[in-house]
Amino acid sequence: GKSVIRLGDGEMGILHGKDISYEAYNKELKKKLIDIIKNYKKDSKYILSIPLFIKDTNRQLRNKNILHYWLPFKVEFKRRFNKKLKYANAHTFYIKSFFENYLASYLKDKYIIVLTTGSNIKKLEPEFCKRFKNIYFLEAKEPNPFQWYKKNKKEIIEIIERNVNVVKKDFVILISAGPAGKILAYDFSNLGYQSLDIGKGIEQIYNDKNLEKDFDIRG
């Protein structure tokens, strides 16, 4: 029943004051990302997920030619993260069979709110509407989804309010909206709604691309 929030190289870029490919640097966004890290506790309503690369040495990362991606995360992990807490694997949703093996049956009787890009909605909607009886799609505008953060939050609340007889535990919010999605997952988890920040893993549901080949997914 807990939410899942994933942090990766893009979020670390924002923390370092940099624009990334799908989100321009924003001071408010940076502050909210820091809040997610700072407020993560053993009894939090969300599970914070980070890349397993964090455990590799700089030499190991350099040998894989990915040190430039993950060194900023190692710096921030040392600087901001509580080392006594447990963290999940940020790339779990990238495992090809994960949705079918673990999420599909769980979502069957839920009220599902999907926030993702228009292109993803176009590919997901026909199949999802056949498989799930209570499903709503909201578009995450691109680039810079964080500019639409307040609008998307309001839209999600409106869907919840229209289903006034549905208890909180029966809602699941699936989010693929870059760093803005992390903030929305954080907000709604604190309101008692399960939010799964599945990110690029949403593409695994409808295409044959194997993201496991692009990421060193262990465990």
Side-chain angles (χ1 to χ4, degrees):
K2 286 196 175 188
S3 296
V4 176
I5 302 174
R6 304 171 311 104
L7 299 180
D9 58 316
E11 287 70 44
M12 296 307 109
I14 297 293
L15 290 188
H16 286 195
K18 297 179 180 179
D19 294 342
I20 57 178
S21 60
Y22 42 86
E23 189 74 71
Y25 170 74
N26 180 293
K27 287 184 178 180
E28 183 184 0
L29 174 57
K30 176 180 176 178
K31 180 183 181 301
K32 288 180 178 292
L33 289 171
I34 292 173
D35 286 343
I36 290 173
I37 298 169
K38 181 178 66 176
N39 295 329
Y40 183 51
K41 305 288 191 300
K42 187 176 180 180
D43 59 351
S44 291
K45 294 181 180 179
Y46 61 97
I47 299 168
L48 198 54
S49 301
I50 62 176
L52 292 175
F53 298 112
I54 199 73
K55 298 187 293 185
D56 291 353
T57 65
N58 288 355
R59 176 176 291 182
Q60 288 174 316
L61 294 175
R62 189 178 293 111
N63 289 341
K64 296 175 184 177
N65 198 31
I66 55 174
L67 179 61
H68 57 297
Y69 285 121
W70 299 116
L71 184 58
F73 206 126
K74 293 186 72 176
V75 170
E76 289 300 325
F77 186 76
K78 184 176 182 180
R79 179 185 181 192
R80 299 186 189 274
F81 287 69
N82 186 336
K83 314 306 182 298
K84 296 180 180 179
L85 297 176
K86 292 184 178 181
Y87 298 87
N89 179 359
H91 295 124
T92 297
F93 294 115
Y94 291 13
I95 297 171
K96 184 63 183 172
S97 59
F98 189 86
F99 183 83
E100 290 300 330
N101 289 348
Y102 297 99
L103 278 183
S105 59
Y106 175 69
L107 295 172
K108 184 178 178 181
D109 296 316
K110 298 290 185 180
Y111 282 71
I112 309 165
I113 302 172
V114 182
L115 175 66
T116 187
T117 62
S119 58
N120 280 336
I121 291 173
K122 186 176 180 180
K123 295 170 182 175
L124 285 170
E125 192 169 15
E127 181 64 23
F128 266 31
C129 287
K130 291 179 184 177
R131 298 181 66 175
F132 306 110
K133 59 184 179 181
N134 299 301
I135 187 159
Y136 305 85
F137 288 92
L138 296 173
E139 183 178 1
K141 301 286 187 180
E142 53 181 347
N144 302 320
F146 189 67
Q147 291 182 359
W148 303 88
Y149 153 73
K150 291 180 181 178
K151 180 177 183 292
N152 287 148
K153 185 173 181 178
K154 181 181 177 183
E155 290 172 335
I156 294 171
I157 291 172
E158 287 173 349
I159 291 172
I160 292 170
E161 289 178 343
R162 289 205 304 268
N163 293 279
V164 66
N165 295 323
V166 181
V167 296
K168 286 185 176 183
K169 68 180 183 63
D170 285 339
F171 283 101
V172 176
I173 307 170
L174 296 182
I175 303 175
S176 175
K182 326 296 178 183
I183 311 306
L184 286 166
Y186 176 71
D187 287 349
F188 281 97
S189 69
N190 286 330
L191 291 173
Y193 296 95
Q194 187 178 29
S195 306
L196 303 180
D197 163 36
I198 64 177
K200 197 175 180 67
I202 202 166
E203 297 176 17
Q204 294 286 62
I205 301 170
Y206 63 76
N207 69 23
D208 294 327
K209 186 177 180 181
N210 189 352
L211 294 177
E212 294 177 52
K213 294 181 179 179
D214 296 336
F215 298 88
D216 182 11
I217 298 174
R218 293 162 285 175

